[in-house]
Amino acid sequence: MNNYSEEKGYFGEFGGSFVPEQLQAVLERLDEAFLRFKNDPEFLQEYHYYLKEYVGRENPLTYAERLTKKLGGARIYLKREDLNHTGAHKINNVVGQILLAKKMGAARVIAETGAGQHGVATATACAMMNIDCTIYMGKEDVRRQELNVFRMELLGAEVVAVNQGGGRLKDAVDEALKDLVANYESTFYLIGSAVGPHPYPSIVHYFQSVISEESKRQILEKEGCLPDAVVACVGGGSNAIGAFSAYLEDKDVRLIGAEPVEAATLTQGKPAVLHGFNSLCLQDDEGNPLPTESIAAGLDYPGIGPEHSFLKISGRAEYVTVTKKEVLEAFQEISRTEGIIPALESAHAIAHVIKLAPSLQEDSIIIVNLSGRGDKDVAEVKRLLELNV
Ligand SMILES: *Cc1c(COP(=O)(O)O)cnc(C)c1O
């Protein structure tokens, strides 16, 4: 069902696990548990129970009638991940991994977060599933995201501000890994995107594939055929791999990932080992990761999940870039025509659809993954529009 490669977690040349020995042992134990539970009927039943009763799945595949008519080309459908509890796709993966943690007998979950979205999703589901939760966050991010810190604390999580290093996301990852190695018997490290050493990219693929399993069933019901294209935004790659996965074998379905031009990992990256796995990465001449600067916090990452690097190199998926200006226009356009304020991340996918749809026939179909809602972004968009960027 997915590209889960037999042994070592490689997608072509990409992926793998480049970590110290102690951590390798922890990852192997995780891999064994994942392989055992991914096909366990009881586990799956529980996972789908929480998706339905807590997350609110299945969510709709909404026909964007006004946007379609306005653009005058392909019929556009929106996969409504914005309607999930907590307002984005991240919760699908979080619920799955916490369930796995409990099956493995873990007493606590740890995670790192940058802007706070993954931390809030993790703290949310940990509260519901009654498991101890610690979130590592760089001190700079703690300062900038004080409301998200408060949310996590309301949900009962402990937020640890990381002062080491530069106090950024990378330093939070390092501290979380230290915690994991010291407490591996009781602790589960929950990764929020399709990145990291094996087996994380495959685990996240697995738990996000519910997006395209639903959308495929829904489009067949509504249109009686598969879409011509599926479009999703790409940060680390989890909503995109979830939106693509059920169509990977359907070679006539174009799979398109949209990146910010300021963080165009797949368009401009080169192979490198970063954060324990081999993938494409934006780097300088000396091979150091380049800083990125997207208006969407969730896309602000110089690396990318290894499966996307493979899909790009093998030609199965296409990756395009969109500019800040196009994203802000798309954000406003879909707000006005469809009454949906999208996350800035999702507006990257919409921005590409606005270019793509008019070039396609009227009987073609595009599914765009609306990865999240935009409430978190309205203040920032107001500021950007006033600056007239
Ligand atoms: C975090 C986030 C993303 C980016 O992460 P991926 O792993 O690439 O999906 C995209 N959209 C929303 C709404 C997010 O919260």
Side-chain angles (χ1 to χ4, degrees):
M1 125 187 214
N2 60 35
N3 258 356
Y4 190 75
S5 75
E6 293 66 35
E7 279 165 42
K8 298 189 198 72
Y10 276 87
F11 305 93
E13 69 186 279
F14 300 106
S17 173
F18 301 83
V19 299
E21 217 170 295
Q22 270 173 311
L23 194 51
Q24 191 57 45
V26 178
L27 294 175
E28 275 165 24
R29 194 168 151 261
L30 173 61
D31 193 30
E32 273 167 31
F34 174 56
L35 289 176
R36 181 149 40 100
F37 287 110
K38 67 188 276 223
N39 296 318
D40 180 72
E42 201 179 307
F43 179 85
L44 286 171
Q45 195 185 3
E46 253 181 280
Y47 174 54
H48 286 284
Y49 169 83
Y50 287 119
L51 288 184
K52 177 165 184 276
E53 302 293 335
Y54 189 65
V55 176
R57 303 198 76 100
E58 76 179 34
N59 58 42
L61 182 70
T62 308
Y63 175 46
E65 186 174 355
R66 285 194 65 214
L67 187 64
T68 296
K69 294 215 166 107
K70 198 162 170 196
L71 295 172
R75 295 165 68 76
I76 300 164
Y77 282 88
L78 310 170
K79 182 59 179 155
R80 302 293 304 280
E81 295 300 307
D82 62 314
L83 294 179
N84 295 342
H85 179 45
T86 66
H89 68 288
K90 285 192 173 74
I91 193 90
N92 305 326
N93 167 54
V94 162
V95 164
Q97 285 195 47
I98 294 174
L99 211 51
L100 188 57
K102 293 198 106 173
K103 295 284 176 194
M104 290 175 72
R108 61 193 284 265
V109 165
I110 62 172
E112 90 285 338
T113 195
Q117 290 149 257
H118 174 55
V120 171
T122 302
T124 300
C126 281
M128 185 269 292
M129 293 167 104
N130 189 26
I131 190 164
D132 197 78
C133 177
T134 303
I135 304 292
Y136 287 91
M137 203 168 175
K139 70 166 190 300
E140 217 10 63
D141 289 323
V142 167
R143 190 184 58 75
R144 282 187 302 199
Q145 302 292 338
E146 59 173 343
L147 266 185
N148 276 340
V149 173
F150 182 60
R151 277 191 186 98
M152 289 182 258
E153 287 170 350
L154 270 180
L155 293 158
E158 184 191 348
V159 179
V160 179
V162 174
N163 287 304
Q164 284 88 341
R168 306 302 302 264
L169 181 61
K170 186 189 167 302
D171 309 300
V173 174
D174 289 343
E175 284 308 299
L177 286 174
K178 261 188 234 167
D179 181 333
L180 177 64
V181 168
N183 303 301
Y184 67 91
E185 278 181 30
S186 65
T187 302
F188 186 99
Y189 186 13
L190 205 167
I191 291 192
S193 188
V195 298
H198 175 70
Y200 282 106
S202 300
I203 292 178
V204 176
H205 175 134
Y206 184 78
F207 288 127
Q208 291 293 2
S209 63
V210 63
I211 299 174
S212 52
E213 277 159 19
E214 282 180 11
S215 79
K216 193 172 192 176
R217 203 163 56 231
Q218 291 168 313
I219 200 71
L220 286 171
E221 214 165 85
K222 286 170 197 280
E223 293 277 358
C225 62
L226 293 180
D228 296 84
V230 178
V231 183
C233 66
V234 182
S238 73
N239 89 89
I241 209 66
F244 294 172
S245 76
Y247 303 100
L248 285 171
E249 306 300 323
D250 302 309
K251 301 289 188 231
D252 292 335
V253 179
R254 288 172 66 187
L255 304 175
I256 307 174
E259 303 184 294
V261 73
E262 303 85 5
T265 316
L266 285 155
T267 321
Q268 287 173 13
K270 297 191 206 78
V273 173
L274 177 72
H275 301 158
F277 62 103
N278 184 14
S279 196
L280 295 174
C281 176
L282 291 171
Q283 43 192 308
D284 64 18
D285 293 340
E286 265 122 57
N288 302 310
L290 280 175
T292 55
E293 208 192 281
S294 168
I295 52 173
L299 307 184
D300 215 351
Y301 177 59
I304 175 71
E307 191 171 4
H308 285 290
S309 295
F310 172 71
L311 292 174
K312 150 99 185 181
I313 299 291
S314 66
R316 177 62 191 94
E318 308 158 50
Y319 296 89
V320 298
T321 58
V322 290
T323 66
K324 202 187 273 192
K325 186 158 177 284
E326 290 166 338
V327 170
L328 287 172
E329 276 165 16
F331 185 94
Q332 295 170 87
E333 181 68 14
I334 188 158
S335 297
R336 279 192 301 255
T337 54
E338 297 297 335
I340 298 170
I341 300 178
L344 268 173
E345 290 88 354
S346 320
H348 286 68
I350 310 285
H352 184 66
V353 168
I354 289 175
K355 295 191 254 185
L356 177 66
S359 73
L360 300 179
Q361 302 290 338
E362 282 180 17
D363 61 355
S364 28
I365 298 164
I366 299 175
I367 292 178
V368 49
N369 199 40
L370 208 83
S371 56
R373 66 175 183 230
D375 307 39
K376 67 184 179 57
D377 293 319
V378 287
E380 176 66 0
V381 169
K382 178 169 183 285
R383 192 183 69 83
L384 290 167
L385 291 175
E386 282 165 5
L387 283 173
N388 205 8
V389 291

